[in-house]
Amino acid sequence: MFSTSGSGSEAHVDKAGRATGTPPDAHDGWIVVETLAEPIDGGALGTVVAKDGRAKEWTALQRSVPNKRVADAARAVVASVVETGVETSVSVPGMRVPLRAVPVAGPSRAVHGVLLYVGDDADASPPDVTGWDWTSADRLFEYTTEMDRMVPRESGRGPSATAFEFFDRNEDAESAMYLMVALFDADPGTRWDGAITLRTSRGPRPLRIALRTVHDEASRDDRITHGLSIALRDDEFVSPGPSFEAFALRSLTRDSPTAIALIDAERVRLTRWLTEPVPDILWKGQVDQRDTPHPEDIARIVSAYRHMHEWVDRKVEIPGVRLRRVDGGWTVVDLRATRIPHERFLMVEFQPVGFSSEPDPVPVTDTGYPGRGPRPSDRKR
């Protein structure tokens, strides 16, 4: 549903029978309405975030559907689909204008968005749009099966993915970092939108992303972010930003066993691997919520990263850090962190230097060091 059919030189006709010479796009006629959170103070449910395969800036539905009677009917059918989760087709009373509304469910089956088609082409296939959730406490994406259609994943993968697994598929490093920061910093009641380009087996794929963060009683830090990923037209590509991978590889010598990752200095969190990760390490969130480093090493890691976050130093070395292994014991690594210019991220090199079999003092029920700086709302107090 992503690529256009045919080439621009082929003959095509519009609804009036006029030859246009331009093939139709699979997105034509479709409006994407996000329904990621309950409306505030009795406001209208849902906001348009894409139309005809192009991003829109959180537009009210009545501004995307010019006719008031059609817009009123569209709002009603969107509300119905959000409540029932069932695709619905109706006609605008007195106008014979058909409306088709297709729900986009999130992982909890709540409706994250509605695909709306106004017009006679009732059989038009909707564009690829998927709903997902981000849990900040666990740093996990929760997907639906529709994500596999948009971004084919490795066989055997479950419905969850860590942050760096997701960002490893991103074609544009700069846009990925903006999205990551938005997820890490989001407070309940906030929203964010942007565009990214994912790397797929079919080539780069541009996506529109819309996020809303809400209170969540089941979450350990009382917040969850609902997301909507919308496939855009081919010509909506994000311009590639600076390559963090190239920056990382310039720091490596040939045949080096060093692994390199991006660390968010403000939140003190591993965000994305730029190389293959250190092997056989039990990373936080894979099995339980224990921090990966030995507890005696955490304080000096956090202190060094926070020191760099304040721009006191551009580089720092942290020797002899013990990382928990999947089969017990510890891999000992020397860390070297470099501040990325104009960013809040550190490029951290993991140099394995040995192993340790000392006992693990942390019970499996431990939830780990929170590793998160103050939220923007906290800093204002």
Side-chain angles (χ1 to χ4, degrees):
M1 299 313 314
F2 178 64
S3 61
T4 58
S5 58
S7 65
S9 60
E10 297 177 7
H12 294 269
V13 296
D14 60 17
K15 292 181 180 180
R18 296 183 296 265
T20 65
T22 304
D25 189 278
H27 301 88
D28 286 344
W30 285 100
I31 298 172
V32 182
V33 183
E34 61 80 22
T35 56
L36 299 168
E38 293 291 332
I40 300 175
D41 299 328
L45 174 66
T47 308
V48 174
V49 290
K51 183 179 181 181
D52 296 326
R54 305 196 187 282
K56 293 187 71 67
E57 297 296 330
W58 303 89
T59 307
L61 188 55
Q62 59 265 31
R63 295 180 59 187
S64 297
V65 181
N67 184 284
K68 183 180 184 304
R69 190 183 300 178
V70 176
D72 290 342
R75 285 198 299 269
V77 76
V78 166
S80 173
V81 169
V82 169
E83 181 178 356
T84 65
V86 177
E87 179 176 338
T88 302
S89 296
V90 299
S91 293
V92 179
M95 295 187 66
R96 295 185 179 180
V97 175
L99 296 176
R100 179 185 173 197
V102 180
V104 180
S108 66
R109 308 317 300 171
V111 176
H112 281 204
V114 176
L115 308 182
L116 188 66
Y117 197 97
V118 181
D120 296 326
D121 296 330
D123 295 331
S125 297
D128 287 338
V129 181
T130 64
W132 47 269
D133 289 336
W134 161 263
T135 54
S136 58
D138 299 327
R139 290 178 291 167
L140 285 177
F141 290 95
E142 297 292 337
Y143 296 133
T144 65
T145 55
E146 281 72 20
M147 182 62 78
D148 295 328
R149 190 175 69 247
M150 180 177 287
V151 184
R153 305 172 70 217
E154 297 177 15
S155 60
R157 289 285 189 183
S160 301
T162 59
F164 48 82
E165 178 189 331
F166 176 85
F167 290 113
D168 187 54
R169 288 188 172 276
N170 205 283
E171 188 79 2
D172 175 58
E174 187 175 35
S175 295
M177 293 304 104
Y178 286 134
L179 173 57
M180 182 195 66
V181 170
L183 291 169
F184 281 176
D185 286 352
D187 284 318
T190 60
R191 72 183 188 187
W192 182 90
D193 65 275
I196 63 173
T197 301
L198 289 187
R199 186 183 304 115
T200 76
S201 59
R202 292 173 291 175
R205 192 168 207 198
L207 302 179
R208 160 79 156 161
I209 307 293
L211 310 176
R212 286 189 187 269
T213 302
V214 299
H215 285 289
D216 179 51
E217 297 296 337
S219 175
R220 285 192 289 116
D221 64 357
D222 198 37
R223 60 183 176 145
I224 189 169
T225 297
H226 300 308
L228 205 60
S229 294
I230 306 157
L232 300 176
R233 293 171 178 263
D234 289 335
D235 58 0
E236 291 286 296
F237 283 113
V238 176
S239 299
S243 170
F244 290 119
E245 287 83 356
F247 185 39
L249 293 176
R250 284 200 300 268
S251 302
L252 289 176
T253 58
R254 292 181 179 178
D255 302 321
S256 171
T258 300
I260 299 180
L262 283 181
I263 304 291
D264 180 1
E266 182 173 323
R267 301 286 175 161
V268 193
R269 286 179 165 178
L270 192 154
T271 299
R272 179 184 181 189
W273 285 104
L274 303 179
T275 65
E276 289 297 316
V278 181
D280 302 320
I281 300 300
L282 185 61
W283 301 106
K284 180 182 176 75
Q286 286 184 334
V287 175
D288 52 53
Q289 294 302 316
R290 290 179 295 174
D291 288 307
T292 300
H294 191 285
E296 294 177 0
D297 298 328
I298 289 177
R300 58 195 182 106
I301 294 173
V302 172
S303 176
Y305 288 173
R306 291 278 170 79
H307 197 62
M308 294 182 72
H309 181 56
E310 298 300 327
W311 291 99
V312 178
D313 287 320
R314 298 297 181 93
K315 293 187 179 182
V316 68
E317 295 186 2
I318 312 172
V321 172
R322 291 157 289 184
L323 304 178
R324 184 176 287 105
R325 294 178 58 84
V326 294
D327 55 358
W330 310 84
T331 293
V332 183
V333 298
D334 289 342
L335 303 182
R336 184 173 67 176
T338 303
R339 183 66 188 257
I340 296 177
H342 313 298
E343 297 285 350
R344 65 189 261 181
F345 304 102
L346 311 176
M347 187 187 72
V348 179
E349 301 174 43
F350 294 70
Q351 176 67 51
V353 295
F355 301 94
S356 172
S357 59
E358 61 188 283
D360 191 336
V362 183
V364 295
T365 55
D366 187 84
T367 57
Y369 176 80
R372 186 182 67 221
R375 298 179 186 175
S377 59
D378 296 331
R379 289 194 288 266
K380 295 176 183 178
R381 297 172 182 170

